[in-house]
Amino acid sequence: MDKVILTGDRPTGKLHVGHYVGSLKRRVELQNSGTFDKIYIMIADAQALTDNAHNPEKVRQNIIEVALDYMSAGLDPEKVTFLIQSQIPELTELTFYYANLVTVARLKRNPTVKSEIGMRGFGESIPAGFFTYPISQAADITAFKGTVVPAGEDQEPMIEQCREIVRSFNGIYGDVLVEPKILLPDNKACLRLPGIDGNAKMSKSLGNCIYLSESADSIKKKVMSMFTDPNHIRVEDPGKVEGNPVFTYLDAFARDEHFAEFAPDYQNLDEMKAHYMRGGLGDVKVKKFLLNVINAELEPIRKRREELQKDIPAIYDILKKGSEAAEQVAANTLDEVKSAMKINYFDDKELIAMQSAKYTPSED
Ligand code: ATP
Ligand code: MG
């Protein structure tokens, strides 16, 4: 069986460092590992519209931003296929058939959708499209026979839902679809990077992000005003590192070589944490170090983006070609699905012969 990656992002804003450590960085490593037969990277605009139906301009504007972020982070259109979800109508068709295999009760139990509904303040007025987006996500993954989905922790319930749909479909109609596996970051801090406000998740919708393309000046303002341990008031006070987003970010980003370069008093993060916990290390010093670490990681990404921004039509062209290539793959899967479901009436010679026989008067 081919090893296939399918993953993507909603074009609801520029990508942030949570995306980067949760999924994007891993995708670039996997792309360069050469161990995958195909890699599809999807800009999930149709999914973004499920909770932005009244603000389609936001989605429209951000498609290019996400594409620029992808390529500046190192995804290479020579090695991966970029696609825009809405340009592949086969995905919508698959969603419609899969919806029959999922109950409303099952959708209601999805913890990520539940918390997103709360976060968006939908109350009882949940758009039906939003409520059912895990089904459409199953269509996206299975259309490309994705075997691996590199994603953050919030995607676990979506992949589980997808696996159930695959099992249900294959059980009823025969083995057509492939069950995907999620590939979570190895580093615990990257599973769900918190926001700069200390909120449990950095998220475009919460406005608590550091963006990949943000200027060094603007990142400085954000990092220096970050939430830390509220009881660490004077430098000599002992501080807490758990639940302190500055240290969570260091867990996600800092490598030993950063200490040699920017904080030579320490060999590694454990030593810096120990100093903070026993007291005597101020927040400002830690934040300045974090700022250096983040800038070291983001500077090459910003530089590449500046280059890529010079030819926007070329980026749209890459998205168009990728979407066209992806559509062919999705169309093949849809054909297989419809044959398995036996709703390919006009190609079904057996059906036509059987129905003819029914109305052919018998000889005797
Ligand atoms: P939105 O608020 O519009 O849902 P988002 O910031 O949650 O946007 P998505 O496009 O929903 O971003 O997520 C894209 C990918 O990035 C998913 O794989 C998701 O798991 C991962 N991801 C998003 N936010 C984080 C985070 N804070 N930490 C780790 N991974 C994240
Ligand atoms: Mg999200």
Side-chain angles (χ1 to χ4, degrees):
M1 190 171 61
D2 277 0
K3 288 172 78 182
V4 179
I5 289 179
L6 178 290
T7 185
D9 305 270
R10 296 153 38 95
T12 48
K14 293 178 176 179
L15 296 185
H16 53 66
V17 294
H19 297 121
Y20 183 68
V21 298
S23 174
L24 191 50
K25 197 173 169 189
R26 188 64 164 285
R27 294 180 207 170
V28 176
E29 288 162 11
L30 295 172
Q31 161 196 278
N32 295 334
S33 75
T35 51
F36 284 86
D37 297 291
K38 283 298 286 177
I39 301 180
Y40 297 96
I41 307 289
M42 185 180 80
I43 301 184
D45 63 333
Q47 188 188 113
L49 285 167
T50 64
D51 58 332
N52 287 286
H54 302 287
N55 194 2
E57 194 54 26
K58 172 162 127 189
V59 175
R60 181 168 171 257
Q61 293 292 335
N62 279 303
I63 287 173
I64 194 74
E65 301 296 344
V66 171
L68 284 165
D69 286 333
Y70 283 163
M71 290 171 59
S72 358
L75 287 175
D76 176 355
E78 298 285 324
K79 295 182 183 155
V80 308
T81 304
F82 293 117
L83 59 129
I84 303 182
Q85 188 185 21
S86 64
Q87 303 307 296
I88 310 208
E90 287 80 359
L91 301 177
T92 321
E93 220 175 313
L94 286 172
T95 304
F96 195 69
Y97 297 127
Y98 294 174
N100 303 328
L101 306 174
V102 180
T103 65
V104 170
R106 175 64 183 86
L107 289 170
K108 276 191 179 153
R109 280 203 306 272
N110 185 312
T112 299
V113 176
K114 239 194 232 174
S115 80
E116 288 177 340
I117 286 169
M119 212 169 86
R120 285 162 177 75
F122 283 143
E124 286 300 302
S125 310
I126 309 162
F130 185 81
F131 184 60
T132 54
Y133 89 73
I135 304 175
S136 111
Q137 215 167 301
D140 305 333
I141 298 168
T142 55
F144 301 101
K145 306 220 164 137
T147 53
V148 174
V149 181
E153 192 181 42
D154 62 319
Q155 292 304 308
E156 252 178 331
M158 308 304 160
I159 307 303
E160 192 43 47
Q161 175 73 84
C162 177
R163 293 163 62 85
E164 283 175 32
I165 290 174
V166 169
R167 287 197 288 267
S168 170
F169 185 96
N170 288 352
I172 301 169
Y173 303 112
D175 265 343
V176 173
L177 304 178
V178 179
E179 274 189 54
K181 283 200 182 75
I182 191 166
L183 186 64
L184 294 168
D186 298 326
N187 181 339
K188 253 175 106 182
C190 303
L191 286 172
R192 183 182 300 240
L193 198 75
I196 50 170
D197 57 356
N199 188 298
K201 182 175 178 279
M202 180 178 288
S203 162
K204 287 171 253 149
S205 306
L206 293 173
N208 57 6
C209 307
I210 293 177
Y211 293 97
L212 278 184
S213 52
E214 206 159 331
S215 73
D217 268 357
S218 165
I219 296 180
K220 184 173 178 190
K221 283 196 196 96
K222 287 187 178 175
V223 169
M224 296 319 281
S225 65
M226 258 176 86
F227 174 91
T228 62
D229 171 6
N231 297 318
H232 185 245
I233 299 161
R234 286 163 307 170
V235 172
E236 57 275 23
D237 290 340
K240 263 174 70 176
V241 297
E242 292 99 52
N244 181 337
V246 174
F247 278 96
T248 311
Y249 286 15
L250 286 175
D251 279 326
F253 285 100
R255 294 187 298 269
D256 291 354
E257 58 263 32
H258 290 135
F259 287 89
E261 196 174 349
F262 305 121
D265 291 349
Y266 311 95
Q267 296 270 331
N268 52 41
L269 187 53
D270 286 341
E271 285 186 18
M272 183 180 253
K273 281 183 179 173
H275 191 184
Y276 191 80
M277 289 190 288
R278 70 176 177 264
L281 174 59
D283 283 332
V284 171
K285 227 172 161 182
V286 184
K287 285 178 173 177
K288 281 192 172 151
F289 174 64
L290 172 63
L291 192 61
N292 280 322
V293 170
I294 291 185
N295 274 324
E297 189 86 15
L298 298 191
E299 184 56 27
I301 298 179
R302 281 196 290 259
K303 282 226 169 79
R304 271 198 295 270
R305 205 182 207 273
E306 272 167 31
E307 283 308 304
L308 290 162
Q309 282 168 190
K310 290 179 184 159
D311 193 355
I312 294 296
I315 311 277
Y316 277 107
D317 201 46
I318 288 169
L319 295 176
K320 179 167 185 257
K321 293 213 170 81
S323 300
E324 283 165 1
E327 187 179 4
Q328 296 195 354
V329 178
N332 281 338
T333 305
L334 181 63
D335 275 348
E336 289 176 48
V337 161
K338 289 172 90 169
S339 306
M341 292 174 73
K342 295 191 180 290
I343 54 174
N344 58 337
Y345 311 116
F346 307 132
D347 298 329
D348 190 344
K349 297 206 169 55
E350 199 187 313
L351 171 74
I352 297 169
M354 188 174 79
Q355 300 297 33
S356 310
K358 205 160 85 185
Y359 289 103
T360 306
S362 60
E363 293 290 307
D364 45 33

